Amino acid sequence: NAMLAWQRTAYHFQPQRNWMNDPDGPLYHMGWYHLFYQYNPHSAVWGNITWGHTVSRDLIHWLYLPIAMKPDSWFDWYGVWTGSATLLPDGQIMMLYTGYTDNYVQVQNLAYPANLSDPLLLDWVKYAGNPVMVPPTGIAPEDFRDPTTAWHAWDDKWRVTIGSKINTIGFNLVYQTTNFTTYELLDGVMHAVPGTGMWECVDFYPVSTTEMNGLDTSFSGPGIKHVLKASLDDEKKDFYALGTYDPSNDTWTPDNPELDVGIGLRVDYGKYYASKTFYDQHKQRRVLYGWIGETDSEIDDIRKNWACVQSIPRTVVFDQKTGSNILQWPVEEVETLRLNSTEFHGVELEPGSVVPLNISSATQLDITATFELDEGALEATIEADVGYNCSTTGAVVRGTLGPFGLLVIADDSLSEFTPVYFYISKGIDGTYSTFICSDEMRSSKAYYDLDEKVYGGMVPVLEGEKLTMRILVDHSVVESFAQGGRTVISSRVYPTTAIYGAARLFLFNNATGVNVTASLKVWRLDSAYIHDFPFDQM
Ligand code: FRU
């Protein structure tokens, strides 16, 4: 079926077949980036969860390796669930993961490579004394999962944190260990937020407030903040907040209580969940992966025999300009896929205009775009769309100062298209709010079984800044980054006509009250090499 085959991505990591969810235990070892992932080897729906394994030299081209860990012990009988790697100063690798036991209890287990001198880390040994942590008193057996990377504390002990909940209060527990086999639960919690429910896949890491490089998870010192991220099980959304970690009692306090974990900023405003970072010691950066699921029906997942992709790895840094968010940006290695580029300078977009761009086969693209608005019109606007929110309208509803942006994965007759756009609202007091949105509502004529949404969120725009976006298009995935990565949206689209050579790119301005000038650079992207490891050549 050509329609379903078209949906497979060309440079996002996805298994050859079957189901994938969370990224697990990312690490860099002997010249190779390792990525493990929640994988069902038997079908394109969730279940029988093992750790799939893949390696890359550059985070773009991947080699599939054999499954690293399968359910084969009582302590992970119903699933080898999510976990994280810790690299010890002596070179050892400690892998902590959640096992779902033969008795339906979530426990934490330890595994380590059988042979550290194997760059591919093919064989994993599960510690014979597993589990190393069991749900503590007061915590339900199914509310205790997804250990983080451990960090080395002032007292020479390691700390690791694990998400949980009691009633609807979500929080993360902290354990300490010296040997990774025995753990002591510390009193209290690191942080709790009422009403947020179960915290899955907690991530906790330092960011520098003065430098652009990433920091090792154990880094401590002046000039840092800590990011705390939780994946909210009830909403299936990743939220983070910036704050201060107090190493003396292992608590964390948000910079802004109104933007606390689970109620404030999202890692990605689209179809995106269970994200995880690691410190890349090779390039001194922190790299983020996230699970981008399907929004098509399970029946179609089974028909095409695969489901879900990983996001393009993104670097994460603190935004020194706003001081109130992180910046996510596709790793620089993505640029090695860039083929020919086309530039468009100063394209005038009058209210109500749609302008085709001369890009054929617009299925694998890296787009950078800048939008400038007519200042006079902005100032003359007294008030516009106060209380705007991407999900309420979508790109066809016209306001004074938006929407304007790009139509990606569109066909010539615009029977299918996915708008990625800015929308500005202005209060009577003269303050502007800018939104970045991604509208899936008209992305496909096969509307009957798709979960189409208008995604998006607010994006900070500072005095004197132009509006900028970068969009990565890869067949059925659209990843959009606004203002250098302050706000990010991943979308899934399943067109039936705007496929292969028929896919096009357009600019549009659906605002009623402002002229917009756009400048763009559009690269066609090559496909990545994502194949089986050639074992017979070893
Ligand atoms: C998040 C999650 C984790 C769990 C894993 C199971 O998507 O539910 O909490 O460890 O997936 O596959």
Side-chain angles (χ1 to χ4, degrees):
N1 183 324
M3 222 168 86
L4 295 179
W6 182 85
Q7 296 169 5
R8 206 168 159 86
T9 64
Y11 62 91
H12 280 76
F13 177 78
Q14 56 175 128
Q16 280 157 310
R17 61 189 74 84
N18 300 323
W19 167 271
M20 170 175 69
N21 55 294
D22 314 357
D24 290 317
L27 62 92
Y28 181 81
H29 178 70
M30 294 178 74
W32 292 93
Y33 291 99
H34 288 254
L35 177 65
F36 306 86
Y37 50 93
Q38 295 284 284
Y39 180 58
N40 182 351
H42 304 304
S43 104
V45 298
W46 186 87
N48 317 298
I49 293 293
T50 66
W51 272 34
H53 187 188
T54 184
V55 287
S56 173
R57 286 289 204 185
D58 60 3
L59 297 168
I60 300 297
H61 305 283
W62 296 94
L63 296 168
Y64 297 118
L65 295 181
I67 289 171
M69 293 196 278
K70 294 177 182 164
D72 55 12
S73 310
W74 70 268
F75 52 77
D76 57 16
W77 195 251
Y78 286 118
V80 181
W81 285 6
T82 280
S84 309
T86 304
L87 309 190
L88 305 194
D90 66 0
Q92 289 186 76
I93 299 173
M94 295 293 156
M95 198 64 94
L96 287 170
Y97 73 92
T98 298
Y100 196 31
T101 70
D102 58 351
N103 206 18
Y104 306 103
V105 180
Q106 293 170 4
V107 299
Q108 315 316 326
N109 299 318
L110 172 66
Y112 43 87
N115 177 8
L116 272 176
S117 60
D118 170 16
L120 300 181
L121 300 174
L122 290 173
D123 296 320
W124 289 81
V125 178
K126 294 177 186 171
Y127 172 59
N130 279 336
V132 293
M133 288 170 258
V134 300
T137 312
I139 299 293
E142 299 192 78
D143 294 334
F144 182 61
R145 57 185 179 273
D146 312 333
T148 62
T149 294
W151 65 98
H152 194 238
W154 58 275
D155 56 4
D156 208 25
K157 292 177 180 162
W158 293 85
R159 304 279 196 275
V160 61
T161 177
I162 299 171
S164 186
K165 69 159 183 180
I166 291 180
N167 300 321
T168 60
I169 308 173
F171 53 81
N172 58 321
L173 301 165
V174 184
Y175 286 79
Q176 67 181 25
T177 184
T178 52
N179 52 17
F180 284 83
T181 57
T182 55
Y183 293 79
E184 184 191 337
L185 175 63
L186 300 182
D187 283 341
V189 298
M190 177 185 276
H191 191 60
V193 182
T196 52
M198 177 66 196
W199 285 13
E200 297 188 309
C201 304
V202 166
D203 199 11
F204 180 65
Y205 56 89
V207 286
S208 173
T209 58
T210 55
E211 311 289 324
M212 290 308 283
N213 57 291
L215 299 175
D216 183 277
T217 310
S218 297
F219 187 91
S220 71
I224 65 169
K225 288 181 185 291
H226 273 79
V227 173
L228 179 60
K229 189 272 315 189
S231 301
L232 299 199
D233 195 15
D234 296 344
E235 301 179 39
K236 290 284 178 288
K237 290 174 181 169
D238 279 19
F239 284 88
Y240 78 95
L242 286 158
T244 304
Y245 167 54
D246 182 349
S248 69
N249 60 8
D250 291 288
T251 59
W252 173 93
T253 311
D255 286 351
N256 177 356
E258 284 170 19
L259 295 180
D260 206 343
V261 180
I263 60 172
L265 303 173
R266 287 178 48 195
V267 178
D268 184 305
Y269 287 77
K271 182 71 183 174
Y272 183 92
Y273 195 63
S275 63
K276 184 184 294 298
T277 63
F278 75 105
Y279 177 64
D280 169 11
Q281 71 274 28
H282 174 55
K283 288 201 169 182
Q284 285 85 47
R285 60 186 170 179
R286 185 160 286 274
V287 176
L288 171 76
Y289 293 96
W291 164 38
I292 300 179
E294 303 294 323
T295 55
D296 197 355
S297 66
E298 204 167 274
I299 286 176
D300 276 348
D301 292 349
I302 292 166
R303 274 167 60 207
K304 68 183 195 279
N305 201 24
W306 60 266
C308 313
V309 308
Q310 295 295 330
S311 67
I312 286 298
R314 305 169 181 167
T315 55
V316 177
V317 294
F318 174 72
D319 185 349
Q320 293 178 29
K321 290 192 183 136
T322 63
S324 55
N325 55 271
I326 56 170
L327 292 174
Q328 301 173 54
W329 201 243
V331 294
E332 61 188 7
E333 289 89 337
V334 173
E335 293 160 33
T336 64
L337 294 175
R338 286 176 173 173
L339 300 170
N340 61 318
S341 65
T342 315
E343 290 185 55
F344 304 88
H345 291 288
V347 183
E348 302 288 343
L349 302 169
E350 291 186 355
S353 58
V354 178
V355 176
L357 297 172
N358 188 17
I359 305 281
S360 58
S361 305
T363 54
Q364 295 175 211
L365 300 180
D366 184 349
I367 305 166
T368 58
T370 304
F371 298 90
E372 286 174 88
L373 278 73
D374 175 50
E375 280 295 330
L378 276 179
E379 274 157 33
T381 303
I382 312 266
E383 190 182 12
D385 294 301
V386 175
Y388 180 80
N389 155 356
C390 298
S391 64
T392 50
T393 56
V396 293
V397 177
R398 302 183 65 176
T400 313
L401 303 177
F404 55 87
L406 286 149
L407 307 177
V408 302
I409 312 273
D411 63 323
D412 273 326
S413 65
L414 293 178
S415 71
E416 295 179 321
F417 55 91
T418 299
V420 179
Y421 55 93
F422 286 111
Y423 198 113
I424 298 170
S425 71
K426 185 178 182 183
I428 207 110
D429 60 355
T431 55
Y432 295 95
S433 301
T434 306
F435 296 80
I436 175 85
C437 318
S438 179
D439 176 357
E440 300 173 347
M441 301 311 288
R442 283 149 205 89
S443 60
S444 173
K445 284 180 280 193
Y447 53 83
Y448 35 87
D449 50 7
L450 299 178
D451 179 20
E452 293 172 324
K453 291 205 165 68
V454 185
Y455 291 117
M458 215 185 283
V459 58
V461 180
L462 303 182
E463 192 69 40
E465 286 182 347
K466 293 176 184 169
L467 298 178
T468 60
M469 59 167 87
R470 178 164 177 201
I471 308 176
L472 295 175
V473 176
D474 188 4
H475 295 257
S476 59
V477 182
V478 179
E479 287 186 66
S480 307
F481 303 79
Q483 300 305 112
R486 288 182 188 144
T487 304
V488 181
I489 312 169
S490 296
S491 277
R492 294 303 306 276
V493 296
Y494 307 92
T496 56
T497 305
I499 63 174
Y500 297 116
R504 299 270 180 277
L505 183 65
F506 294 80
L507 279 165
F508 80 101
N509 177 12
N510 224 7
T512 56
V514 68
N515 286 312
V516 177
T517 309
S519 294
L520 289 84
K521 187 159 184 179
V522 182
W523 288 265
R524 282 204 309 116
L525 289 187
D526 204 351
S527 301
Y529 182 95
I530 305 177
H531 289 285
D532 272 328
F533 192 89
F535 279 99
D536 47 356
Q537 291 169 27
M538 278 175 82

